[in-house]
Amino acid sequence: MRNPARGSRPSHAGAARERLPRELRRSIAAVSWAVCLLSTVLSAQQPAAAPAGDSNSAGKPARAQARTPANLPDCSWQSNEIAAGHLRYTGNVQCELPDGVMLSADSMDIYTDDDNDNKSRIVAAGNVVFDGPEGHIAAERLEYDTGTGTGTFTLARGLLSIRDHSPASFGGREALVYFYGERLEKLGPRRYRVTRGNWTTCEQPTPRWHFTNSSMVINLEDYVVARNTLLHVKGVPLFYLPWFYYPIQSDDRATGFLMPSYGASTFRGQAFSNAFFWAISRSQDATFMHDWFTRAGQGGGVEYRYVLDPQSSGTFRTYLFERSETVSSVDGVTTTLPGSTSFEFSGNATQALWPGATARARLDYFSDVQSQQLLHQNPYDASRRNRIIEGALTASFGSLLTNVIYQRNEIINSATDTILYGSTPRASATVVPRRLFETPLYASMNAEYAYLPQRRTVDGLLIQDDSFGRLDVAPSVRVPLSRLSFLSLNTSATYRTTYYTRQAGLIAPTQPGSYFRQYATVRADMVGPVLTRIFELPESSFADRLKHVIEPSVTMDFTSAIRDYRRTPILSDISDFIVGNSTRVTYGLTNRLFSRSGAVGTARGVAREFLTVGVQQTYYSQPEASRYDGNYVSAQGTGLGREFSPIALNVRVSPSSVLDANTRIEYDASGFGLRMITTGATLTSGQSGATLNYSWQRFDRTQPAGSFLSASTHTRFFDDRVSANYSLSLDVGRSYIVSQGIVASYMAQCCGVQGEYQRYNYPSGSGLPESDKRINFAFVLAGVGTFSNFFGAFGGR
């Protein structure tokens, strides 16, 4: 298994730790020095005869007077020279090794090498403590070579530190590995072997989980390899592995297995998900996923990610699922679904080619819409009906901007009925506005070619093809007429010519025959005069100053006559349809309220736009033009058109970083009444937050209004040890809950549990089960995390 914290991959680890090892070391040191001081006093009062051959006075901390190699440990307390090159220290010996390690024991023999002054061998026995930068080890016996830095401990236990490791993988605490072994071998710098022992990252007096092994090799900042491994949780053995690999790299990215997860659902049955992560290099990785469902079948997939530079990165996912024939029963209603084989591809990539040039790609393709609805837990993914393949290239050459895009968008109406549209391709070139000589004129031009497919296929047969090509050229000139701070006035003129390979049909959207369209537009935009007033609030806790800005605005568009403008073909972009010989006037009023907080020290207060209220409406000299105005969603394509558009009200409230809310209302004053409401709000407070989105619309009086509500909340408490997320998707118009679910996790000091419950309801008459109840469950160990499966378990994707 591996440490799963790898960039954006969620990692869940153990929580708070007490620093018992450090306190233990301090206690040992304090007791040792106290014993040393007491022994010194007693020895001074009762002197003893010096042993034969000892050149030092008895009862006195001393260092041997024999030949001292350069690498000989610096030790204190009673010493005896047993023979040439052999020193023995007794009586709570304390030594400082040349590599900064403190070594203490009841007795210690040091053997020097006559041929190598930088080498000595140490044999320590009785309460051996080995304390250094790598960690803390206590043992009954130690044989240590100062020249190679290797040694062997008997009956050893202690902790090893993983330097520069991400605290997130260890609950925000220091990354430590606790171990015990009958035999511990220090094989080299930061490399150890443990025989017949156990280890854990749980910093509890009685660890809540640990691994036992017949043998284990620890490479600090790299990996742990163990044989005959058995996982114990609360003293209960859970599973056995003959070979175990646990990465502990400091960058939190290492090859290995992710912690498996368990789930269950009404439709899919019992579910077991697991994954293997491959850290290919520092800039790319891959995750191999496998899911097995006892009733619905099994599937496997791969996710590949790479980052070449800040402007070049990508993520691609592919998944193949073998769905079995499934029979489900909910509330006495039995549904039988035939088996199928489905696949899914998705991905995004951005690549910087050269300065000013960027390539982009997007892939979102699946073979079976029914599998999408049954397997995915995210409401967006479960309700998707579009299959998209897209690629784009953007480049700039001075004042020339170019863009080429290929987009294939396929809408799935049913298993056999699809509609294809998009741009295959669309190429455009734009000359940014440039000042003409020394005049106040600014000129620009846009040219575009696009092939717009529109094909309907039923049972693999082409039923209707309305595809056409379009070439469009539009030079324009702009003149700013006002430079006043309280009044802005800009005018522009555009001449546009467009060639279509097909024209609008009487029955079908298009019919054979080309169409050439040309017209001119003149536009004037005025904002102002802007009225401003400032209010001083010296006693207010909200702000010390308020600013109220009133901005009236008027926009006038005139379009020249267009010959046979109703021959303009329309597929999906209604804004391309222009009504000739028409005038359009849009007028509105916007109120803005700004607040400025009080100064803190020498720093000025921060200004914030906390309330914006805007209202606008449009008058059309040709009522038909209202059907093709993209500024009003509720008026598009309705009736024969109206002289006035709906009144649009936009409100945004953001008094602080805690609350951000916005609302749009469209009201038809001609008698239709309220047509649309969309509102959303986000509330954030400390570790908790909530999001709410609601929409209501009625574009046709003969049909009932449609409304939809989505909401989510999240909270964290107890130092992030407990977290919970709740989500709800409600179709208010049809009075049924699409989905609701909760994800919760509890992280103790070294382990935890994560669970999820979701109920997904399907509309009646869809041929799918009435509902699917889903449960996901996973354990979390400190430094060992979980993952989200391909279908979005635990709220992931």
Side-chain angles (χ1 to χ4, degrees), residues 522-579:
V522 178
R523 179 184 178 98
D525 297 281
M526 184 181 72
V527 178
V530 178
L531 305 178
T532 303
R533 184 174 180 180
I534 295 177
F535 303 88
E536 300 288 346
L537 304 174
E539 304 297 330
S540 174
S541 60
F542 174 68
D544 67 346
R545 179 178 293 185
L546 291 182
K547 181 179 180 181
H548 183 201
V549 179
I550 302 176
E551 296 179 352
S553 63
V554 178
T555 299
M556 179 178 295
D557 287 280
F558 171 75
T559 303
S560 65
I562 304 175
R563 183 176 59 87
D564 298 331
Y565 69 87
R566 290 188 175 88
R567 293 172 59 190
T568 305
I570 305 175
L571 295 181
S572 58
D573 185 8
I574 65 171
S575 64
D576 191 45
F577 189 91
I578 306 298
V579 178

Short mmCIF file of all heavy atoms in Angstrom, two decimals, residues 522-579:
data_model
loop_
_atom_site.label_atom_id
_atom_site.label_comp_id
_atom_site.label_asym_id
_atom_site.label_seq_id
_atom_site.Cartn_x
_atom_site.Cartn_y
_atom_site.Cartn_z
N VAL A 522 -24.98 50.36 -36.60
CA VAL A 522 -24.41 51.50 -35.90
C VAL A 522 -24.84 51.38 -34.44
O VAL A 522 -26.02 51.16 -34.15
CB VAL A 522 -24.89 52.84 -36.50
CG1 VAL A 522 -24.32 54.01 -35.70
CG2 VAL A 522 -24.49 52.93 -37.96
N ARG A 523 -23.89 51.55 -33.53
CA ARG A 523 -24.16 51.32 -32.11
C ARG A 523 -23.60 52.48 -31.30
O ARG A 523 -22.51 52.99 -31.58
CB ARG A 523 -23.51 50.01 -31.66
CG ARG A 523 -23.71 49.66 -30.18
CD ARG A 523 -22.94 48.41 -29.85
NE ARG A 523 -23.06 48.06 -28.44
CZ ARG A 523 -23.90 47.17 -27.95
NH1 ARG A 523 -24.71 46.51 -28.78
NH2 ARG A 523 -23.95 46.90 -26.67
N ALA A 524 -24.36 52.87 -30.28
CA ALA A 524 -23.90 53.91 -29.35
C ALA A 524 -24.15 53.43 -27.93
O ALA A 524 -25.26 52.97 -27.61
CB ALA A 524 -24.64 55.22 -29.61
N ASP A 525 -23.11 53.50 -27.08
CA ASP A 525 -23.19 53.08 -25.67
C ASP A 525 -22.90 54.29 -24.79
O ASP A 525 -21.84 54.93 -24.93
CB ASP A 525 -22.17 51.98 -25.37
CG ASP A 525 -22.44 50.72 -26.15
OD1 ASP A 525 -23.33 49.97 -25.75
OD2 ASP A 525 -21.75 50.49 -27.16
N MET A 526 -23.82 54.56 -23.87
CA MET A 526 -23.63 55.67 -22.94
C MET A 526 -23.86 55.17 -21.52
O MET A 526 -24.87 54.53 -21.23
CB MET A 526 -24.58 56.82 -23.25
CG MET A 526 -24.35 58.05 -22.36
SD MET A 526 -25.48 59.42 -22.70
CE MET A 526 -26.99 58.75 -22.02
N VAL A 527 -22.89 55.45 -20.63
CA VAL A 527 -23.01 55.17 -19.21
C VAL A 527 -22.82 56.49 -18.48
O VAL A 527 -21.76 57.11 -18.54
CB VAL A 527 -21.98 54.14 -18.74
CG1 VAL A 527 -22.10 53.93 -17.23
CG2 VAL A 527 -22.14 52.83 -19.48
N GLY A 528 -23.89 56.95 -17.79
CA GLY A 528 -23.81 58.21 -17.07
C GLY A 528 -24.96 59.14 -17.46
O GLY A 528 -25.82 58.78 -18.27
N PRO A 529 -24.98 60.28 -16.88
CA PRO A 529 -24.00 60.76 -15.89
C PRO A 529 -24.06 59.97 -14.58
O PRO A 529 -25.14 59.67 -14.08
CB PRO A 529 -24.40 62.22 -15.68
CG PRO A 529 -25.85 62.26 -16.04
CD PRO A 529 -26.05 61.26 -17.13
N VAL A 530 -22.89 59.60 -14.07
CA VAL A 530 -22.76 58.80 -12.87
C VAL A 530 -22.86 59.72 -11.65
O VAL A 530 -22.15 60.73 -11.56
CB VAL A 530 -21.42 58.03 -12.85
CG1 VAL A 530 -21.28 57.24 -11.56
CG2 VAL A 530 -21.33 57.12 -14.06
N LEU A 531 -23.76 59.35 -10.73
CA LEU A 531 -23.96 60.12 -9.50
C LEU A 531 -23.33 59.36 -8.34
O LEU A 531 -23.54 58.15 -8.20
CB LEU A 531 -25.45 60.34 -9.25
CG LEU A 531 -26.23 61.00 -10.39
CD1 LEU A 531 -27.70 61.11 -10.02
CD2 LEU A 531 -25.65 62.36 -10.72
N THR A 532 -22.59 60.06 -7.50
CA THR A 532 -21.85 59.43 -6.41
C THR A 532 -22.06 60.23 -5.12
O THR A 532 -22.06 61.47 -5.14
CB THR A 532 -20.34 59.36 -6.71
OG1 THR A 532 -20.15 58.65 -7.93
CG2 THR A 532 -19.60 58.65 -5.61
N ARG A 533 -22.25 59.50 -4.03
CA ARG A 533 -22.32 60.15 -2.72
C ARG A 533 -21.59 59.28 -1.70
O ARG A 533 -21.71 58.05 -1.73
CB ARG A 533 -23.76 60.37 -2.28
CG ARG A 533 -23.85 61.12 -0.96
CD ARG A 533 -25.26 61.48 -0.59
NE ARG A 533 -25.29 62.19 0.68
CZ ARG A 533 -26.40 62.64 1.26
NH1 ARG A 533 -27.57 62.46 0.67
NH2 ARG A 533 -26.32 63.27 2.42
N ILE A 534 -20.85 59.90 -0.80
CA ILE A 534 -20.06 59.20 0.21
C ILE A 534 -20.64 59.52 1.59
O ILE A 534 -20.94 60.68 1.90
CB ILE A 534 -18.58 59.60 0.15
CG1 ILE A 534 -17.98 59.16 -1.20
CG2 ILE A 534 -17.80 58.98 1.30
CD1 ILE A 534 -16.54 59.57 -1.39
N PHE A 535 -20.80 58.48 2.41
CA PHE A 535 -21.32 58.61 3.76
C PHE A 535 -20.24 58.20 4.76
O PHE A 535 -19.69 57.10 4.67
CB PHE A 535 -22.56 57.72 3.97
CG PHE A 535 -23.68 57.99 3.00
CD1 PHE A 535 -23.72 57.34 1.77
CD2 PHE A 535 -24.68 58.89 3.32
CE1 PHE A 535 -24.75 57.58 0.89
CE2 PHE A 535 -25.71 59.13 2.44
CZ PHE A 535 -25.75 58.49 1.22
N GLU A 536 -19.93 59.08 5.68
CA GLU A 536 -18.97 58.80 6.74
C GLU A 536 -19.71 58.12 7.90
O GLU A 536 -20.76 58.60 8.34
CB GLU A 536 -18.29 60.06 7.23
CG GLU A 536 -17.50 60.80 6.16
CD GLU A 536 -16.22 60.06 5.78
OE1 GLU A 536 -15.83 59.14 6.54
OE2 GLU A 536 -15.63 60.42 4.74
N LEU A 537 -19.17 57.01 8.40
CA LEU A 537 -19.77 56.25 9.50
C LEU A 537 -18.74 56.03 10.59
O LEU A 537 -18.22 54.92 10.78
CB LEU A 537 -20.31 54.90 8.99
CG LEU A 537 -21.31 54.95 7.82
CD1 LEU A 537 -21.62 53.55 7.34
CD2 LEU A 537 -22.58 55.67 8.26
N PRO A 538 -18.41 57.05 11.35
CA PRO A 538 -17.33 56.91 12.35
C PRO A 538 -17.68 55.96 13.49
O PRO A 538 -16.79 55.41 14.12
CB PRO A 538 -17.15 58.35 12.86
CG PRO A 538 -18.46 59.02 12.58
CD PRO A 538 -18.98 58.41 11.32
N GLU A 539 -18.97 55.76 13.77
CA GLU A 539 -19.37 54.91 14.88
C GLU A 539 -19.76 53.50 14.44
O GLU A 539 -20.13 52.68 15.28
CB GLU A 539 -20.55 55.55 15.62
CG GLU A 539 -20.30 56.95 16.12
CD GLU A 539 -19.17 56.99 17.15
OE1 GLU A 539 -19.00 55.97 17.86
OE2 GLU A 539 -18.47 58.01 17.23
N SER A 540 -19.70 53.21 13.16
CA SER A 540 -20.16 51.92 12.65
C SER A 540 -19.08 50.85 12.79
O SER A 540 -17.89 51.11 12.57
CB SER A 540 -20.57 52.04 11.18
OG SER A 540 -20.90 50.77 10.65
N SER A 541 -19.51 49.64 13.15
CA SER A 541 -18.58 48.50 13.21
C SER A 541 -18.47 47.81 11.86
O SER A 541 -17.56 46.99 11.66
CB SER A 541 -19.06 47.50 14.26
OG SER A 541 -20.36 47.02 13.94
N PHE A 542 -19.39 48.10 10.94
CA PHE A 542 -19.37 47.47 9.61
C PHE A 542 -18.33 48.12 8.70
O PHE A 542 -17.56 47.45 8.03
CB PHE A 542 -20.76 47.55 8.98
CG PHE A 542 -20.81 47.06 7.56
CD1 PHE A 542 -20.62 45.73 7.25
CD2 PHE A 542 -21.03 47.95 6.52
CE1 PHE A 542 -20.67 45.28 5.94
CE2 PHE A 542 -21.07 47.52 5.21
CZ PHE A 542 -20.89 46.18 4.91
N ALA A 543 -18.32 49.43 8.64
CA ALA A 543 -17.38 50.15 7.79
C ALA A 543 -17.27 51.58 8.30
O ALA A 543 -18.17 52.10 8.97
CB ALA A 543 -17.85 50.12 6.34
N ASP A 544 -16.16 52.24 7.98
CA ASP A 544 -16.02 53.63 8.37
C ASP A 544 -16.46 54.58 7.26
O ASP A 544 -16.55 55.79 7.47
CB ASP A 544 -14.57 53.94 8.77
CG ASP A 544 -13.61 53.84 7.58
OD1 ASP A 544 -14.02 53.30 6.54
OD2 ASP A 544 -12.47 54.31 7.72
N ARG A 545 -16.77 53.98 6.06
CA ARG A 545 -17.22 54.83 4.96
C ARG A 545 -18.03 53.99 3.98
O ARG A 545 -17.69 52.86 3.68
CB ARG A 545 -16.02 55.47 4.25
CG ARG A 545 -16.40 56.33 3.06
CD ARG A 545 -15.18 56.96 2.43
NE ARG A 545 -14.56 57.93 3.33
CZ ARG A 545 -13.51 58.70 2.98
NH1 ARG A 545 -12.98 58.55 1.78
NH2 ARG A 545 -13.01 59.55 3.84
N LEU A 546 -19.15 54.58 3.50
CA LEU A 546 -19.96 53.96 2.45
C LEU A 546 -19.99 54.87 1.23
O LEU A 546 -19.98 56.10 1.36
CB LEU A 546 -21.40 53.73 2.93
CG LEU A 546 -21.64 52.69 4.01
CD1 LEU A 546 -23.13 52.57 4.32
CD2 LEU A 546 -21.10 51.33 3.60
N LYS A 547 -20.03 54.22 0.06
CA LYS A 547 -20.09 54.97 -1.19
C LYS A 547 -21.24 54.44 -2.03
O LYS A 547 -21.32 53.24 -2.29
CB LYS A 547 -18.77 54.83 -1.95
CG LYS A 547 -18.72 55.59 -3.26
CD LYS A 547 -17.37 55.41 -3.94
CE LYS A 547 -17.29 56.18 -5.26
NZ LYS A 547 -15.98 55.97 -5.93
N HIS A 548 -22.14 55.34 -2.44
CA HIS A 548 -23.30 54.96 -3.27
C HIS A 548 -23.09 55.52 -4.67
O HIS A 548 -22.87 56.73 -4.84
CB HIS A 548 -24.58 55.52 -2.66
CG HIS A 548 -25.81 55.11 -3.41
ND1 HIS A 548 -27.00 55.80 -3.33
CD2 HIS A 548 -26.03 54.08 -4.28
CE1 HIS A 548 -27.90 55.21 -4.10
NE2 HIS A 548 -27.32 54.18 -4.69
N VAL A 549 -23.14 54.63 -5.66
CA VAL A 549 -22.93 55.01 -7.06
C VAL A 549 -24.18 54.64 -7.84
O VAL A 549 -24.65 53.51 -7.77
CB VAL A 549 -21.69 54.32 -7.66
CG1 VAL A 549 -21.52 54.72 -9.12
CG2 VAL A 549 -20.45 54.65 -6.86
N ILE A 550 -24.72 55.60 -8.59
CA ILE A 550 -25.87 55.38 -9.47
C ILE A 550 -25.40 55.53 -10.91
O ILE A 550 -24.88 56.59 -11.30
CB ILE A 550 -27.01 56.37 -9.16
CG1 ILE A 550 -27.44 56.24 -7.70
CG2 ILE A 550 -28.19 56.14 -10.09
CD1 ILE A 550 -28.51 57.25 -7.29
N GLU A 551 -25.60 54.46 -11.72
CA GLU A 551 -25.13 54.46 -13.10
C GLU A 551 -26.29 54.21 -14.06
O GLU A 551 -26.70 53.06 -14.26
CB GLU A 551 -24.07 53.36 -13.31
CG GLU A 551 -22.80 53.55 -12.51
CD GLU A 551 -21.82 52.41 -12.75
OE1 GLU A 551 -22.20 51.42 -13.41
OE2 GLU A 551 -20.68 52.50 -12.27
N PRO A 552 -26.84 55.22 -14.66
CA PRO A 552 -27.80 54.99 -15.74
C PRO A 552 -27.06 54.63 -17.03
O PRO A 552 -25.91 55.05 -17.23
CB PRO A 552 -28.51 56.35 -15.87
CG PRO A 552 -27.52 57.34 -15.35
CD PRO A 552 -26.70 56.63 -14.31
N SER A 553 -27.68 53.84 -17.85
CA SER A 553 -27.03 53.43 -19.10
C SER A 553 -28.07 53.30 -20.20
O SER A 553 -29.21 52.93 -19.96
CB SER A 553 -26.29 52.10 -18.93
OG SER A 553 -27.20 51.07 -18.60
N VAL A 554 -27.62 53.61 -21.43
CA VAL A 554 -28.47 53.49 -22.61
C VAL A 554 -27.61 52.97 -23.75
O VAL A 554 -26.49 53.46 -23.97
CB VAL A 554 -29.10 54.85 -23.01
CG1 VAL A 554 -29.94 54.70 -24.29
CG2 VAL A 554 -29.95 55.40 -21.89
N THR A 555 -28.13 51.97 -24.44
CA THR A 555 -27.45 51.42 -25.62
C THR A 555 -28.45 51.42 -26.78
O THR A 555 -29.56 50.91 -26.64
CB THR A 555 -26.94 50.00 -25.37
OG1 THR A 555 -26.01 50.01 -24.30
CG2 THR A 555 -26.27 49.43 -26.61
N MET A 556 -28.02 51.96 -27.92
CA MET A 556 -28.88 52.02 -29.10
C MET A 556 -28.19 51.32 -30.26
O MET A 556 -27.02 51.60 -30.56
CB MET A 556 -29.19 53.47 -29.46
CG MET A 556 -30.07 53.62 -30.70
SD MET A 556 -30.46 55.36 -31.06
CE MET A 556 -31.44 55.78 -29.63
N ASP A 557 -28.92 50.38 -30.88
CA ASP A 557 -28.42 49.66 -32.05
C ASP A 557 -29.37 49.89 -33.21
O ASP A 557 -30.59 49.72 -33.07
CB ASP A 557 -28.36 48.16 -31.77
CG ASP A 557 -27.23 47.80 -30.82
OD1 ASP A 557 -26.10 47.71 -31.28
OD2 ASP A 557 -27.52 47.62 -29.62
N PHE A 558 -28.78 50.25 -34.37
CA PHE A 558 -29.57 50.34 -35.59
C PHE A 558 -28.98 49.40 -36.62
O PHE A 558 -27.77 49.39 -36.85
CB PHE A 558 -29.59 51.76 -36.15
CG PHE A 558 -30.21 51.84 -37.51
CD1 PHE A 558 -31.59 51.77 -37.68
CD2 PHE A 558 -29.40 51.97 -38.65
CE1 PHE A 558 -32.16 51.81 -38.95
CE2 PHE A 558 -29.97 52.02 -39.91
CZ PHE A 558 -31.35 51.95 -40.06
N THR A 559 -29.84 48.58 -37.22
CA THR A 559 -29.44 47.62 -38.25
C THR A 559 -30.11 47.99 -39.57
O THR A 559 -31.33 48.21 -39.60
CB THR A 559 -29.83 46.19 -37.87
OG1 THR A 559 -29.25 45.87 -36.60
CG2 THR A 559 -29.36 45.19 -38.90
N SER A 560 -29.31 48.07 -40.62
CA SER A 560 -29.85 48.42 -41.93
C SER A 560 -30.73 47.30 -42.46
O SER A 560 -30.78 46.20 -41.90
CB SER A 560 -28.70 48.69 -42.90
OG SER A 560 -27.96 47.50 -43.12
N ALA A 561 -31.42 47.58 -43.55
CA ALA A 561 -32.30 46.58 -44.16
C ALA A 561 -31.47 45.41 -44.68
O ALA A 561 -30.35 45.57 -45.18
CB ALA A 561 -33.10 47.21 -45.29
N ILE A 562 -32.00 44.19 -44.52
CA ILE A 562 -31.33 42.96 -44.98
C ILE A 562 -32.27 42.27 -45.97
O ILE A 562 -33.42 41.97 -45.61
CB ILE A 562 -31.01 42.03 -43.81
CG1 ILE A 562 -30.16 42.75 -42.76
CG2 ILE A 562 -30.30 40.76 -44.31
CD1 ILE A 562 -29.89 41.92 -41.53
N ARG A 563 -31.77 42.01 -47.14
CA ARG A 563 -32.60 41.37 -48.16
C ARG A 563 -32.85 39.91 -47.78
O ARG A 563 -31.93 39.16 -47.53
CB ARG A 563 -31.91 41.45 -49.53
CG ARG A 563 -32.72 40.87 -50.68
CD ARG A 563 -32.00 41.10 -52.01
NE ARG A 563 -30.67 40.49 -51.99
CZ ARG A 563 -30.43 39.22 -52.33
NH1 ARG A 563 -31.43 38.44 -52.70
NH2 ARG A 563 -29.19 38.76 -52.30
N ASP A 564 -34.12 39.55 -47.71
CA ASP A 564 -34.53 38.16 -47.41
C ASP A 564 -33.87 37.64 -46.13
O ASP A 564 -33.32 36.54 -46.10
CB ASP A 564 -34.19 37.24 -48.59
CG ASP A 564 -34.93 37.62 -49.86
OD1 ASP A 564 -36.02 38.18 -49.74
OD2 ASP A 564 -34.39 37.35 -50.95
N TYR A 565 -33.91 38.42 -45.06
CA TYR A 565 -33.21 38.01 -43.83
C TYR A 565 -33.78 36.73 -43.24
O TYR A 565 -33.10 36.03 -42.48
CB TYR A 565 -33.21 39.14 -42.80
CG TYR A 565 -34.56 39.45 -42.20
CD1 TYR A 565 -35.04 38.77 -41.09
CD2 TYR A 565 -35.36 40.46 -42.75
CE1 TYR A 565 -36.27 39.07 -40.54
CE2 TYR A 565 -36.59 40.77 -42.20
CZ TYR A 565 -37.04 40.07 -41.09
OH TYR A 565 -38.27 40.37 -40.53
N ARG A 566 -35.03 36.37 -43.57
CA ARG A 566 -35.62 35.14 -43.03
C ARG A 566 -35.04 33.89 -43.68
O ARG A 566 -35.35 32.78 -43.25
CB ARG A 566 -37.14 35.17 -43.19
CG ARG A 566 -37.82 36.17 -42.27
CD ARG A 566 -39.33 36.03 -42.32
NE ARG A 566 -39.97 36.92 -41.37
CZ ARG A 566 -40.33 38.17 -41.63
NH1 ARG A 566 -40.08 38.69 -42.85
NH2 ARG A 566 -40.89 38.91 -40.70
N ARG A 567 -34.19 34.06 -44.69
CA ARG A 567 -33.51 32.90 -45.30
C ARG A 567 -32.26 32.51 -44.50
O ARG A 567 -31.60 31.53 -44.85
CB ARG A 567 -33.12 33.22 -46.74
CG ARG A 567 -34.32 33.40 -47.68
CD ARG A 567 -33.86 33.91 -49.03
NE ARG A 567 -32.91 33.00 -49.66
CZ ARG A 567 -32.21 33.31 -50.77
NH1 ARG A 567 -32.36 34.49 -51.34
NH2 ARG A 567 -31.36 32.43 -51.29
N THR A 568 -31.95 33.26 -43.43
CA THR A 568 -30.78 32.93 -42.60
C THR A 568 -31.01 31.62 -41.87
O THR A 568 -31.97 31.49 -41.10
CB THR A 568 -30.52 34.04 -41.57
OG1 THR A 568 -30.38 35.29 -42.24
CG2 THR A 568 -29.25 33.73 -40.78
N PRO A 569 -30.19 30.60 -42.09
CA PRO A 569 -30.38 29.31 -41.40
C PRO A 569 -29.95 29.41 -39.94
O PRO A 569 -28.97 30.08 -39.60
CB PRO A 569 -29.49 28.35 -42.18
CG PRO A 569 -28.41 29.21 -42.74
CD PRO A 569 -29.04 30.55 -43.02
N ILE A 570 -30.70 28.76 -39.06
CA ILE A 570 -30.40 28.74 -37.63
C ILE A 570 -30.35 27.29 -37.17
O ILE A 570 -31.26 26.51 -37.46
CB ILE A 570 -31.47 29.48 -36.81
CG1 ILE A 570 -31.65 30.90 -37.32
CG2 ILE A 570 -31.08 29.52 -35.34
CD1 ILE A 570 -32.78 31.63 -36.64
N LEU A 571 -29.28 26.94 -36.44
CA LEU A 571 -29.18 25.61 -35.86
C LEU A 571 -29.28 25.71 -34.33
O LEU A 571 -30.28 25.36 -33.74
CB LEU A 571 -27.87 24.94 -36.28
CG LEU A 571 -27.75 24.64 -37.79
CD1 LEU A 571 -26.43 23.97 -38.09
CD2 LEU A 571 -28.91 23.78 -38.25
N SER A 572 -28.22 26.18 -33.69
CA SER A 572 -28.25 26.28 -32.22
C SER A 572 -27.97 27.69 -31.73
O SER A 572 -28.36 28.04 -30.62
CB SER A 572 -27.22 25.31 -31.61
OG SER A 572 -25.92 25.61 -32.11
N ASP A 573 -27.32 28.53 -32.54
CA ASP A 573 -26.96 29.89 -32.13
C ASP A 573 -27.99 30.87 -32.71
O ASP A 573 -27.87 31.31 -33.85
CB ASP A 573 -25.56 30.22 -32.61
CG ASP A 573 -25.08 31.58 -32.12
OD1 ASP A 573 -25.79 32.18 -31.29
OD2 ASP A 573 -24.01 32.04 -32.58
N ILE A 574 -29.01 31.20 -31.90
CA ILE A 574 -30.07 32.07 -32.41
C ILE A 574 -29.59 33.50 -32.57
O ILE A 574 -30.23 34.30 -33.28
CB ILE A 574 -31.30 32.02 -31.50
CG1 ILE A 574 -30.96 32.61 -30.12
CG2 ILE A 574 -31.84 30.61 -31.37
CD1 ILE A 574 -32.19 32.80 -29.26
N SER A 575 -28.49 33.88 -31.92
CA SER A 575 -28.01 35.25 -32.02
C SER A 575 -27.51 35.57 -33.42
O SER A 575 -27.32 36.74 -33.76
CB SER A 575 -26.91 35.52 -31.00
OG SER A 575 -25.77 34.71 -31.26
N ASP A 576 -27.29 34.57 -34.25
CA ASP A 576 -26.83 34.80 -35.61
C ASP A 576 -27.96 35.28 -36.53
O ASP A 576 -27.72 35.75 -37.63
CB ASP A 576 -26.20 33.52 -36.18
CG ASP A 576 -25.46 33.76 -37.48
OD1 ASP A 576 -24.71 34.75 -37.55
OD2 ASP A 576 -25.65 32.97 -38.43
N PHE A 577 -29.19 35.13 -36.05
CA PHE A 577 -30.34 35.60 -36.84
C PHE A 577 -30.55 37.08 -36.55
O PHE A 577 -30.83 37.47 -35.41
CB PHE A 577 -31.59 34.79 -36.49
CG PHE A 577 -32.75 35.06 -37.41
CD1 PHE A 577 -32.94 34.29 -38.54
CD2 PHE A 577 -33.64 36.08 -37.14
CE1 PHE A 577 -34.01 34.53 -39.39
CE2 PHE A 577 -34.71 36.34 -37.98
CZ PHE A 577 -34.90 35.56 -39.11
N ILE A 578 -30.44 37.93 -37.57
CA ILE A 578 -30.54 39.37 -37.42
C ILE A 578 -31.77 39.86 -38.19
O ILE A 578 -31.95 39.55 -39.38
CB ILE A 578 -29.28 40.09 -37.95
CG1 ILE A 578 -28.03 39.50 -37.29
CG2 ILE A 578 -29.38 41.58 -37.71
CD1 ILE A 578 -27.96 39.68 -35.80
N VAL A 579 -32.62 40.60 -37.51
CA VAL A 579 -33.79 41.20 -38.14
C VAL A 579 -33.39 42.54 -38.74
O VAL A 579 -32.88 43.43 -38.02
CB VAL A 579 -34.93 41.38 -37.13
CG1 VAL A 579 -36.14 42.05 -37.78
CG2 VAL A 579 -35.32 40.04 -36.54
#
